[in-house]
Amino acid sequence: MAAVMRMATPFRRRLVSLHRFVFTSLGRESSHAAAVRATAVHWRYSVAETEVPVARRLYASVASPVINVNEKPNNSATIDQLSSDSALADLLKQLDDQVRRWGRVDKEHVHRLLSLVTKHGSVSTQQSIMVLKCTGSLLVKESPSERNALFEKAKSVLQSVGAEVNVQVYNAMLRAKLENKQPFSPVEVLSELEMEKHLLPNRVTYQLLLSKFCEKGDIEGASTILEHMKSQNLPVNEIIFNALVKGHVTKGDISGAKAVLTTMSESGMDPTADTYKTLMCGLAEKGDIAGVQECIKEAERASIKFYGRHLYDVVVSMASNGQNEGIDEILSQIKEKVSRYNQDALNCIFQLVAEGHDDIAYRVFSAMDHSRFQGQPGQSPCTTLMRIMIIKGRPVEKVLEIRNKLQTDNKFSVSLEEIANLAFHYQHSGYALKVLEAMKKEGCDIKQHYFWPVLKDAAESRNVKGAMEAVAGLVKCMEGKDDLVVGTIFRWAIKPLLLKGEPLETLVSGVRDAGLPEAEVEMLKIAGLLSLGKLEEVAKLINAGTKFSPAILKSELVQSFSQSKFNSVELIKVIQAAQSQLPSHFIDAQSGVLLGNLKTPLTQATATKLVTEWINADLKLFRNFEKPVKLELQRLGVASEVIQKMNSLFVDQLQEQISTEELKKASIEEMEQRLERSKGFRVPILERTLLLKYGRAGMVEKADSLKRVLDQRGFIYGPDILRTLGTLAAKDKKNLEEALTYKQQLETEHPSFGSYAILVLHIANLQLKAKKFEDALSTMQRFSSLHLSNLQKSGAADGYINADLCRSLLVTCSEEFEAAKVHQLCDFLCQNGFVKEDTFSLANQVMIAYIKKGDADEILAVLENYITKLNKAPQFSEVFRILIEKEDADRLQKAVDLVATVSGEMSTLLHLVASFIECNKIRQARKVLETPGLRALTKPLTEACERFLNSDKEKELEQLVECTKTLQGIDRDEMLLQLMRLYAKRKDTKKLMEVFSLYEEERIRPRPRTLRYVAKVLESQGQHAPFEVPSAEQVLEESPQPASSDTLETAAQDAFKEKDVAKIMEIKEKMDAQGEELSSKFVTNVARFLLTRKDNQMFRKFAHQLAESGDTAGLLAIRKLTLSKNLDQFVHQRLFLAYLYKNKIEELLDYLKENPEHLSKYLTMTGINLLNEKKPELLPSLVSIIETHYEKSDKSLIAGLLYNFYMINAKTEELDNLLKKYPAIKDRVRLSYVCQVARRLQKEDMLQKVIEIHQCDNPRRLIVPFNQMLLLKCDQGDWISALDCYKSALKSGLTFEDLWVRSLQTLASLLTGNGQPLPWQPGMLEKRAASESSSARKPDISSSSSSSDDSSSDSEKEEAKEIPKSNKIQNTRKPDAV
């Protein structure tokens, strides 16, 4: 340290002299003024290099949960793109968004953030910066000391997870210290950076250090930093000038501060609102209100606009320094001159309350723009003012005083109930009880739930005294509502304390001393005895006439006795004693008690005795308990005669009738409310559906809670519930043992049910994570051997359902095991039918595992295996890169030779060039390009450009464009366009136009699409194109001509001469693999030949092949031929796909925007889905075009496409908005396709949504969805749900004749197999089947009109062809066919 200071001393002396020469007494001495001007010229800097001033960054945080004040986001720094896979990244993104919106963060969110960082165990540099950023001035609700404590904790957490500290992170730490007003020495910081951290300070570092000097008024110290910056040619920007203003003001040199503004202007930079704000804050601290007003006028003369935050900072400065007299003048200026400032006002209020300036905070609130909140009490910021005061523990009297002022002065009503809720939530019971006393004085209604948090905290900490104090307050405030008080006291205080070992006598005495009436004390005593299992005492007290709480009695009997072994005689005595006072719905509770006891380990004798006593006592049971109770008795070996005697006990359950459809439409919240309203009645269908929804939504706690209740009642779980619970256990709870238990139940209790492949794969994933590789294989092997047919029927074997989950298995396996195991697992999944064998994503994942291992020989062996097996080369570019980095020439040559067998020599060499460039081996790349005969191919070069563009590799893309400049056949326009796309992505129009100037320099004619693209980019940046912009139609007409090898093109021409179309198709496939395309002229000739032969099937196949290869030029050429209406539409639809595969879909969308009348020609379901997959960011543009031009298009087709897309992709909100906007769509859309897809993907909710939408239409619209739903239920082997679906179909207006024969036959087979009766008369189905079989042999011209949804358009038929054949629905009735 001493050495550093010695080195710095001479520089420091010179800097002090320089600074005095430049900045002292500016404007007072002419010689100094001349020096200032000279220095200002020397210190000029470019605007492009200027950083955004710190003072201009409005940092923000999580909005209050009560307030929702919509404010235009202010400028702020944003975090880099973070991984969306982790909760940490999600929270950081959320906070960053809230920072931009609201200007603050809450410490609760910061604590959660630190907890996630600790749990995550690692953090990126940008994440570290965001964490530190959230511990500074963003915490507007905290004082500087509180913020600094959180900063120190954050620093400790980051250190514990090994966070990297680079200069940017170090700067974030310095900024937090500066904002929290913590002392540090700039000189020591420089020493630490250079000697200990080995970091090189950057411009931001110097800015922060200079700001620290200026904060103390140390201008000489600041000059040291200026000299450092000058020596390193670092520009001086607005931040530096603002800090110098602050330094002079702090020093008391107001004239010097104003002189800095002059110097700033002379340096070519005008003072900003932040500059004037800094000066005004300094004047405000001195109480110079006149000076503040003069600054405001001067800024106005300079046309500088203040935002609310600028003037509110002045208010805070005045309050912090006791200068309160001029605050109202500043507030009036805000109201007069600033718009949209409420969020800034709230931030100001938070800061003032945090520093203890409550009255000034109230004055700020009073000056806010309240017009936005009139008539919207739920959005009033009054509650926020109350909340922050309570959080900060302001005296209750002060809180109530401010509340009264709000009502009197501002006409805003803040109820004492709101304040009480806040007090209980944020403060101790004594504080809250003072609020309740005030409420009682005003005659307010006291709610018992106000006391729940206090009672809960006291019980959890075993604080009996605190609990009884809260009870006393509860009794006092809830006088006259003792029945409600008893339940609250028992649930939140007595029972938790009993479980922690507190004596019941002590607790009973305590509530008695707290003022609870004796009758209610006895009720609590009975409740306590029940909780302790002392049934005999309970029975005696009840028989003696002691009052008790029916609700508590029922709850304790169900929850406690069904889980433990108790004397059955005592149990029955309690129930008998209570029956005279119990409501009739207690039958449900006692039914559950009996079943729960039967589920405990009982001997035959004990079970017989219990049931006999129950029969003798004539204790009734609800009828829905009959089957489970009898099954348990049979399991225990109770005599059939005894079981028979129980028939008289079962009575019908008085419950609300709820339809299955109604429940499926209801939200979870609505179902919970309905269950609550049932008041103890069992509603099995409601509970069953709710449990399913909990499971599918991943609500672990709620699902477990409901299941415990159902277990106590002996609920019988169907296979769909077991599957859902098992998936919940595996996917959300990560509980392998529990998931295996559910799987075992499915195998033993429902052996015919085979639709739980997803559960099996999730279990296997957990086993892999537990390093149990063989167990994972065994689990999947067993399922496959039992249910392979079901697996194939579901579509999994064709790779449509489980591909993503199988890929996740491989990812997990690669994390836990070596590459060979990943390879083994991949083969296993394919061989056992979980996914189709040629699923390329799985092969990619296997290659990634071997690449990660890094064994070159193994990598090449696996690559060769896949090339032989799949005729594809997964991850070959990455293989090239690794071998290049290893400088392994021999193996690299082998890899190139292998890839060339499937991709062709030229395509492979071009990919190799890109890999060399990526590894910064430019000389080697150029040498490859010098290969004799090598010519450019569009596909491999475009793929390389896209890779560099997507990964933002500017240098690599520039090198690729430059290296290939002279390559034979290079599409220079395409390459330059790719480079311009990168600069456009970075919004660097200067570089973009430099590239565009190369067209003239190299004498290249830009295509219309290039000109149109450049024009759009310039327009987006507010610039005009220096050329005439071509139309979208011109862009389509002039598509780039493909490049191909002479050899393959000649071979194709020879095959054409021989009229061998099959040979042409074979050559075309080979060309596609090698990135080559047929010439447009040749494509036209082949298409014309096929049309002449009237071979429409081969024509369609050829056009589809062109689309998949992205051959837009070929399809555009075919489009010009004379085609039938159907073939013309087919070609246009393939053209849409071709533009997608070519990654040029923007050009076609641009054309459709100008020519909406052609929408129906181009769009298909496949096209929209592919757009959603490849370019989801463009989907809103397409939807906008469709909806905007809906009236100009084929309404039936467009309606069906949007409807089907939204339905299949579960975009419920968009679908509802579409139907609301265009209600006629409901009548136009055909339901066959979407229902078929729903069944194939086993999406019951999709079919239910279709039924819900069309419920009120013609009942015949429901034929297809109900039949597909019925088949889906039968596929799952769930006879209960299938039967419910059949009944629902009839209730919805369908008849027996409307249901397909195959659907009914499948249902009949399922019911018969489970020993269930058929829900129709004997012989009805057989008669229908025979009748339709005979009519099917006769032509029936009316059959096509027998249903409103039977016909399909040509495009729908083409869509159906793309569904795997194994999944197409075969129907016995022609009208039912899809």
Side-chain angles (χ1 to χ4, degrees):
M1 180 63 192
V4 173
M5 291 303 297
R6 283 196 298 273
M7 293 169 61
T9 299
F11 292 100
R12 182 180 176 86
R13 291 197 193 103
R14 289 198 299 271
L15 282 168
V16 171
S17 301
L18 172 67
H19 185 75
R20 286 174 178 163
F21 176 72
V22 175
F23 291 104
T24 304
S25 304
L26 284 173
R28 288 181 293 176
E29 299 182 27
S30 57
S31 59
H32 285 179
V36 166
R37 285 193 294 273
T39 307
V41 172
H42 177 75
W43 281 73
R44 290 185 192 276
Y45 57 96
S46 67
V47 176
E49 295 178 338
T50 306
E51 281 201 352
V52 179
V54 174
R56 194 179 288 176
R57 300 175 183 170
L58 180 61
Y59 302 111
S61 83
V62 183
S64 164
V66 176
I67 294 188
N68 184 17
V69 182
N70 295 319
E71 179 63 66
K72 182 177 181 180
N74 294 286
N75 295 330
S76 69
T78 59
I79 59 174
D80 290 341
Q81 183 179 4
L82 305 173
S83 171
S84 59
D85 297 337
S86 96
L88 172 62
D90 290 342
L91 179 58
L92 285 169
K93 286 182 178 179
Q94 176 189 348
L95 288 177
D96 185 56
D97 180 61
Q98 291 164 343
V99 161
R100 287 182 276 108
R101 293 180 62 201
W102 307 111
R104 56 185 176 269
V105 295
D106 289 336
K107 66 178 180 181
E108 292 80 11
H109 294 85
V110 180
H111 281 301
R112 183 183 167 215
L113 180 61
L114 297 179
S115 175
L116 285 173
V117 169
T118 303
K119 183 178 179 181
H120 195 260
S122 63
V123 66
S124 70
T125 299
Q126 290 300 323
Q127 289 172 334
S128 296
I129 292 172
M130 186 62 183
V131 169
L132 293 167
K133 177 180 172 182
C134 290
T135 62
S137 59
L138 293 179
L139 291 164
V140 295
K141 299 179 183 178
E142 315 302 325
S143 65
S145 60
E146 292 170 325
R147 299 200 304 255
N148 191 61
L150 205 50
F151 163 73
E152 293 296 336
K153 180 180 178 181
K155 194 166 67 169
S156 175
V157 167
L158 293 175
Q159 186 176 3
S160 68
V161 299
E164 178 189 358
V165 179
N166 58 17
V167 70
Q168 287 80 18
V169 174
Y170 196 88
N171 289 343
M173 293 181 183
L174 285 180
R175 191 183 302 281
K177 284 187 175 183
L178 194 64
E179 292 173 351
N180 295 340
K181 304 186 186 305
Q182 294 303 306
F184 65 85
S185 167
V187 175
E188 292 178 3
V189 166
L190 284 175
S191 173
E192 181 182 10
L193 281 171
E194 296 174 4
M195 304 298 293
E196 299 178 25
K197 302 291 186 182
H198 304 293
L199 297 175
L200 183 66
N202 61 11
R203 184 174 59 187
V204 176
T205 312
Y206 290 123
Q207 291 169 0
L208 294 170
L209 297 179
L210 184 139
S211 296
K212 185 61 181 177
F213 275 126
C214 292
E215 183 185 67
K216 299 182 293 186
D218 186 355
I219 299 299
E220 292 185 358
S223 67
T224 340
I225 305 300
L226 286 171
E227 184 67 19
H228 272 291
M229 297 181 69
K230 181 180 177 182
S231 66
Q232 297 183 34
N233 292 322
L234 294 176
V236 175
N237 58 15
E238 178 193 342
I239 299 173
I240 299 297
F241 283 113
N242 291 350
L244 291 171
V245 170
K246 171 69 175 175
H248 281 286
V249 169
T250 304
K251 190 177 179 180
D253 182 10
I254 302 301
S255 60
K258 293 181 178 180
V260 173
L261 269 67
T262 304
T263 304
M264 191 174 180
S265 299
E266 292 175 349
S267 299
M269 176 180 294
D270 294 328
T272 66
D274 289 309
T275 309
Y276 280 102
K277 187 250 333 192
T278 304
L279 179 57
M280 288 190 295
C281 285
L283 294 171
E285 290 174 4
K286 309 296 183 184
D288 187 357
I289 305 304
V292 172
Q293 296 290 354
E294 180 58 32
C295 282
I296 293 175
K297 293 177 182 178
E298 185 178 337
E300 287 180 349
R301 287 193 292 269
S303 301
I304 293 173
K305 180 183 178 182
F306 287 116
Y307 291 100
R309 60 188 172 85
H310 295 116
L311 299 180
Y312 280 123
D313 282 349
V314 176
V315 172
V316 173
S317 295
M318 297 176 71
S320 300
N321 291 275
Q323 306 292 339
N324 299 341
E325 294 183 0
I327 287 179
D328 288 337
E329 293 182 39
I330 302 299
L331 294 177
S332 64
Q333 290 277 352
I334 295 174
K335 201 161 189 174
E336 177 184 345
K337 303 180 183 299
V338 182
S339 61
R340 298 182 65 83
Y341 56 82
N342 275 340
Q343 283 301 321
D344 295 327
L346 289 176
N347 289 337
C348 177
I349 289 170
F350 292 145
Q351 292 180 67
L352 292 171
V353 174
E355 296 180 13
H357 306 299
D358 301 333
D359 290 321
I360 298 177
Y362 171 74
R363 288 158 66 181
V364 172
F365 173 81
S366 297
M368 287 177 65
D369 179 11
H370 294 160
S371 62
R372 298 181 61 192
F373 307 105
Q374 297 297 335
Q376 303 179 54
Q379 294 189 19
S380 169
C382 300
T383 306
T384 300
L385 177 58
M386 296 291 95
R387 179 188 295 108
I388 189 61
M389 292 185 69
I390 291 171
I391 289 174
K392 292 301 177 182
R394 293 291 177 268
V396 174
E397 295 76 15
K398 190 66 179 179
V399 173
L400 296 178
E401 176 190 337
I402 297 293
R403 178 251 181 184
N404 294 333
K405 282 186 177 181
L406 287 171
Q407 291 183 309
T408 304
D409 300 343
N410 296 288
K411 311 301 181 186
F412 273 110
S413 176
V414 182
S415 69
L416 288 174
E417 288 84 352
E418 288 181 88
I419 296 177
N421 266 321
L422 294 170
F424 273 115
H425 185 76
Y426 294 109
Q427 287 294 340
H428 55 82
S429 58
Y431 188 100
L433 290 174
K434 288 183 180 180
V435 179
L436 294 182
E437 290 174 6
M439 290 177 63
K440 197 167 180 68
K441 289 179 182 177
E442 291 195 12
C444 298
D445 187 22
I446 308 298
K447 308 293 185 185
Q448 58 174 329
H449 67 261
Y450 297 160
F451 294 86
W452 291 356
V454 181
L455 292 170
K456 180 175 180 289
D457 292 342
E460 287 182 350
S461 60
R462 204 170 177 176
N463 181 3
V464 177
K465 182 179 178 182
M468 294 307 136
E469 288 178 355
V471 168
L474 173 63
V475 171
K476 184 177 180 181
C477 293
M478 297 286 291
E479 188 176 357
K481 300 179 180 179
D482 301 321
D483 55 335
L484 297 176
V485 169
V486 169
T488 296
I489 295 174
F490 177 73
R491 177 186 177 188
W492 296 100
I494 302 299
K495 187 172 181 178
L497 288 170
L498 284 174
L499 293 175
K500 290 185 177 292
E502 292 295 334
L504 178 61
E505 295 75 13
T506 302
L507 299 178
V508 170
S509 176
V511 295
R512 183 179 287 113
D513 295 340
L516 190 67
E518 190 61 31
E520 280 66 40
V521 171
E522 291 298 323
M523 292 169 68
L524 282 175
K525 182 178 180 180
I526 287 179
L529 291 171
L530 280 169
S531 184
L532 295 173
K534 298 181 179 181
L535 302 188
E536 188 173 356
E537 293 183 44
V538 171
K540 288 179 180 179
L541 288 172
I542 294 177
N543 284 327
T546 305
K547 288 182 61 178
F548 65 92
S549 168
I552 295 176
L553 182 61
K554 181 192 75 172
S555 175
E556 291 304 307
L557 285 174
V558 172
Q559 295 182 21
S560 299
F561 296 113
S562 63
Q563 299 175 9
S564 308
K565 299 178 187 177
F566 292 96
N567 187 302
S568 59
V569 176
E570 293 179 356
L571 175 62
I572 290 175
K573 284 182 179 180
V574 172
I575 295 176
Q576 287 177 320
Q579 272 188 340
S580 59
Q581 300 180 44
L582 285 174
S584 60
H585 65 252
F586 193 69
I587 296 176
D588 180 72
Q590 64 195 40
S591 302
V593 169
L594 175 62
L595 184 58
N597 276 278
L598 292 176
K599 284 181 172 290
T600 59
L602 299 179
T603 64
Q604 178 183 355
T606 304
T608 303
K609 181 182 177 184
L610 172 61
V611 174
T612 302
E613 291 172 352
W614 200 281
I615 294 171
N616 293 337
D618 194 29
L619 297 177
K620 300 299 183 184
L621 303 168
F622 277 141
R623 193 167 303 283
N624 56 309
F625 281 87
E626 182 174 2
K627 183 175 180 179
V629 167
K630 289 184 176 180
L631 285 174
E632 289 298 329
L633 291 174
Q634 291 171 2
R635 180 183 64 82
L636 295 168
V638 177
S640 58
E641 297 81 7
V642 178
I643 298 176
Q644 192 68 25
K645 291 180 181 180
M646 295 191 69
N647 290 339
S648 61
L649 300 180
F650 295 106
V651 296
D652 290 329
Q653 182 176 358
L654 300 176
Q655 69 174 36
E656 185 180 3
Q657 296 297 318
I658 307 174
S659 67
T660 305
E661 291 75 24
E662 186 179 0
L663 288 179
K664 288 179 179 176
K665 295 176 189 176
S667 66
I668 289 178
E669 183 180 4
E670 291 170 343
M671 293 174 68
E672 288 174 338
Q673 293 172 355
R674 194 157 195 169
L675 191 61
E676 182 68 22
R677 291 197 301 270
S678 66
K679 298 180 180 179
F681 288 103
R682 283 201 59 199
V683 191
I685 189 173
L686 175 58
E687 294 165 331
R688 174 186 180 278
T689 309
L690 186 57
L691 184 59
L692 280 172
K693 290 199 174 188
Y694 281 155
R696 290 166 181 166
M699 296 181 173
V700 175
E701 293 182 1
K702 289 190 174 184
D704 286 347
S705 176
L706 179 55
K707 184 178 179 299
R708 283 193 293 270
V709 174
L710 297 179
D711 285 343
Q712 294 163 9
R713 295 175 178 173
F715 187 84
I716 297 178
Y717 299 100
D720 55 339
I721 297 182
L722 292 175
R723 175 185 59 195
T724 302
L725 292 175
T727 305
L728 180 72
K731 181 182 177 182
D732 299 289
K733 298 165 71 173
K734 312 297 182 186
N735 190 327
L736 176 59
E737 184 178 349
E738 184 179 345
L740 286 170
T741 301
Y742 285 116
K743 173 180 168 290
Q744 182 64 30
Q745 279 185 266
L746 283 167
E747 291 176 356
T748 55
E749 298 176 14
H750 307 280
S752 63
F753 182 78
S755 299
Y756 56 97
I758 291 177
L759 167 59
V760 171
L761 291 173
H762 278 299
I763 290 175
N765 202 5
L766 286 180
Q767 290 171 325
L768 290 173
K769 288 181 179 178
K771 300 185 183 298
K772 298 179 179 180
F773 185 80
E774 297 302 329
D775 288 355
L777 295 188
S778 177
T779 298
M780 293 185 286
Q781 175 65 51
R782 176 172 175 78
F783 175 79
S784 179
S785 63
L786 291 174
H787 303 293
L788 182 60
S789 61
N790 295 71
L791 199 62
Q792 291 172 338
K793 185 186 295 184
S794 70
D798 293 297
Y800 284 90
I801 294 180
N802 297 325
D804 288 341
L805 195 48
C806 288
R807 180 180 172 278
S808 297
L809 281 180
L810 295 181
V811 173
T812 302
C813 188
S814 66
E815 293 171 352
E816 305 294 341
F817 298 96
E818 59 185 17
K821 292 287 188 183
V822 180
H823 199 170
Q824 180 184 349
L825 177 59
C826 179
D827 291 343
F828 177 89
L829 291 169
C830 296
Q831 293 164 6
N832 285 273
F834 286 93
V835 69
K836 64 181 181 180
E837 293 196 11
D838 60 344
T839 302
F840 194 60
S841 62
L842 268 63
N844 266 325
Q845 198 59 48
V846 172
M847 281 302 304
I848 289 171
Y850 279 102
I851 289 170
K852 181 180 178 182
K853 183 179 179 181
D855 189 312
D857 289 328
E858 288 188 350
I859 291 173
L860 290 177
V862 175
L863 179 65
E864 185 174 9
N865 175 60
Y866 278 124
I867 288 175
T868 304
K869 185 178 178 180
L870 305 179
N871 201 33
K872 294 178 181 178
Q875 296 292 319
F876 70 86
S877 293
E878 190 67 12
V879 174
F880 289 170
R881 185 187 63 79
I882 284 181
L883 295 176
I884 290 171
E885 289 178 347
K886 289 178 177 289
E887 298 184 352
D888 192 337
D890 293 336
R891 290 185 176 86
L892 178 60
Q893 182 64 56
K894 182 178 180 180
V896 170
D897 292 341
L898 286 171
V899 175
T901 60
V902 292
S903 296
E905 290 183 2
M906 282 194 289
S907 177
T908 303
L909 290 177
L910 292 174
H911 279 293
L912 182 62
V913 168
S915 297
F916 273 126
I917 290 174
E918 192 172 10
C919 297
N920 199 28
K921 306 285 186 181
I922 308 302
R923 185 178 62 82
Q924 289 87 338
R926 291 186 182 278
K927 196 165 186 66
V928 173
L929 289 170
E930 293 170 3
T931 302
L934 182 64
R935 60 199 307 269
L937 296 177
T938 303
K939 186 176 180 180
L941 289 175
T942 303
E943 287 177 354
C945 290
E946 287 288 341
R947 188 166 78 250
F948 294 154
L949 180 63
N950 293 335
S951 54
D952 208 23
K953 294 183 177 180
E954 178 179 357
K955 180 182 177 182
E956 288 82 352
L957 182 55
E958 289 172 342
Q959 290 283 5
L960 180 63
V961 172
E962 178 62 26
C963 287
T964 58
K965 179 178 179 180
T966 58
L967 183 63
Q968 181 185 359
I970 188 68
D971 187 343
R972 191 67 176 157
D973 174 67
E974 176 68 24
M975 299 300 290
L976 292 177
L977 176 60
Q978 296 289 351
L979 190 53
M980 287 191 290
R981 287 178 62 199
L982 175 65
Y983 296 142
K985 180 180 176 182
R986 296 184 172 188
K987 298 183 179 180
D988 191 343
T989 54
K990 181 180 179 181
K991 283 190 174 182
L992 183 145
M993 293 307 294
E994 287 176 359
V995 174
F996 187 72
S997 66
L998 294 177
Y999 280 85
E1000 180 178 0
E1001 183 178 322
E1002 298 181 14
R1003 299 184 179 182
I1004 302 168
R1005 186 180 74 86
R1007 293 193 183 96
R1009 60 91 184 263
T1010 303
L1011 295 172
R1012 192 171 176 86
Y1013 177 80
V1014 173
K1016 288 177 67 175
V1017 173
L1018 293 175
E1019 182 181 356
S1020 68
Q1021 299 298 313
Q1023 303 177 38
H1024 295 289
F1027 49 78
E1028 183 180 352
V1029 182
S1031 68
E1033 189 167 2
Q1034 288 176 298
V1035 172
L1036 288 189
E1037 290 297 328
E1038 187 172 339
S1039 183
Q1041 291 298 311
S1044 62
S1045 66
D1046 294 337
T1047 303
L1048 289 175
E1049 178 84 7
T1050 302
Q1053 290 174 353
D1054 292 339
F1056 179 72
K1057 291 176 182 177
E1058 298 172 4
K1059 312 302 181 186
D1060 189 350
V1061 179
K1063 183 68 174 177
I1064 294 174
M1065 302 292 281
E1066 181 182 335
I1067 295 172
K1068 173 61 180 166
E1069 289 179 2
K1070 190 171 183 179
M1071 295 179 73
D1072 292 343
Q1074 298 183 10
E1076 303 176 23
E1077 297 176 358
L1078 294 169
S1079 67
S1080 299
K1081 182 179 179 180
F1082 181 75
V1083 167
T1084 305
N1085 289 335
V1086 173
R1088 187 181 288 112
F1089 170 72
L1090 293 173
L1091 291 172
T1092 304
R1093 287 200 341 186
K1094 298 184 178 180
D1095 192 347
N1096 290 351
Q1097 182 178 359
M1098 186 61 73
F1099 178 91
R1100 289 173 183 266
K1101 184 177 180 181
F1102 182 65
H1104 190 73
Q1105 194 175 32
L1106 292 173
E1108 289 187 327
S1109 63
D1111 190 351
T1112 55
L1115 287 168
L1116 285 168
I1118 292 177
R1119 190 183 64 166
K1120 298 177 181 178
L1121 299 176
T1122 304
L1123 303 173
S1124 67
K1125 181 179 179 181
N1126 286 342
L1127 288 181
D1128 181 72
Q1129 183 169 9
F1130 183 85
V1131 170
H1132 280 85
Q1133 291 167 352
R1134 299 313 104 176
L1135 193 55
F1136 188 95
L1137 301 183
Y1139 272 99
L1140 270 168
Y1141 285 115
K1142 192 80 170 179
N1143 200 25
K1144 304 292 183 185
I1145 191 62
E1146 294 94 335
E1147 298 173 16
L1148 184 55
L1149 292 181
D1150 202 13
Y1151 169 79
L1152 291 175
K1153 187 175 182 180
E1154 293 184 3
N1155 301 273
E1157 65 274 12
H1158 295 155
L1159 271 172
S1160 57
K1161 276 188 174 183
Y1162 286 91
L1163 295 184
T1164 62
M1165 220 28 250
T1166 301
I1168 297 178
N1169 280 325
L1170 190 62
L1171 177 66
N1172 188 47
E1173 175 188 337
K1174 289 184 170 292
K1175 290 281 187 178
E1177 69 275 10
L1178 296 179
L1179 184 62
S1181 300
L1182 176 61
V1183 172
S1184 175
I1185 294 171
I1186 291 173
E1187 292 187 353
T1188 303
H1189 304 288
Y1190 175 77
E1191 297 298 333
K1192 301 179 182 179
S1193 60
D1194 182 341
K1195 297 181 181 179
S1196 297
L1197 176 63
I1198 300 302
L1201 290 173
L1202 278 182
Y1203 178 101
N1204 290 341
F1205 174 76
Y1206 288 149
M1207 184 68 74
I1208 291 171
N1209 291 279
K1211 296 180 178 293
T1212 306
E1213 183 177 350
E1214 291 88 339
L1215 178 59
D1216 292 340
N1217 291 337
L1218 179 71
L1219 294 175
K1220 184 177 180 181
K1221 188 173 183 180
Y1222 305 109
I1225 285 180
K1226 290 176 62 177
D1227 299 323
R1228 296 179 181 276
V1229 68
R1230 296 183 176 94
L1231 305 180
S1232 304
Y1233 176 81
V1234 70
C1235 293
Q1236 182 178 3
V1237 172
R1239 183 192 163 204
R1240 174 168 62 80
L1241 299 179
Q1242 300 185 38
K1243 290 191 175 182
E1244 178 183 343
D1245 54 343
M1246 189 193 302
L1247 286 169
Q1248 189 57 48
K1249 181 69 175 177
V1250 175
I1251 293 171
E1252 175 187 340
I1253 289 174
H1254 299 279
Q1255 189 78 47
C1256 299
D1257 299 347
N1258 184 338
R1260 298 189 65 78
R1261 292 283 280 161
L1262 301 177
I1263 291 178
V1264 173
F1266 263 117
N1267 275 286
Q1268 295 287 18
M1269 177 74 85
L1270 185 56
L1271 287 169
L1272 173 60
K1273 293 295 185 183
C1274 292
D1275 289 344
Q1276 295 174 347
D1278 187 353
W1279 69 266
I1280 297 176
S1281 297
L1283 187 57
D1284 286 344
C1285 179
Y1286 171 81
K1287 294 177 180 178
S1288 298
L1290 299 184
K1291 288 180 182 177
S1292 299
L1294 299 185
T1295 65
F1296 181 82
E1297 285 69 28
D1298 290 326
L1299 297 175
W1300 301 339
V1301 168
R1302 188 168 69 86
S1303 304
L1304 296 171
Q1305 288 173 338
T1306 308
L1307 176 61
S1309 176
L1310 181 63
L1311 292 175
T1312 304
N1314 285 275
Q1316 300 298 318
L1318 300 180
W1320 54 77
Q1321 294 297 324
M1324 288 180 64
L1325 179 56
E1326 291 76 8
K1327 184 177 179 180
R1328 263 197 66 191
S1331 173
E1332 292 187 9
S1333 177
S1334 62
S1335 63
R1337 290 191 289 268
K1338 302 176 182 178
D1340 184 1
I1341 60 174
S1342 65
S1343 62
S1344 62
S1345 60
S1346 63
S1347 170
S1348 62
D1349 194 45
D1350 295 331
S1351 59
S1352 298
S1353 67
D1354 289 333
S1355 61
E1356 282 182 306
K1357 291 175 182 177
E1358 290 302 324
E1359 298 287 344
K1361 290 179 181 179
E1362 299 182 19
I1363 301 174
K1365 294 182 179 180
S1366 59
N1367 299 307
K1368 286 191 179 181
I1369 299 175
Q1370 306 294 330
N1371 298 301
T1372 57
R1373 299 173 65 206
K1374 182 178 179 181
D1376 298 332
V1378 179

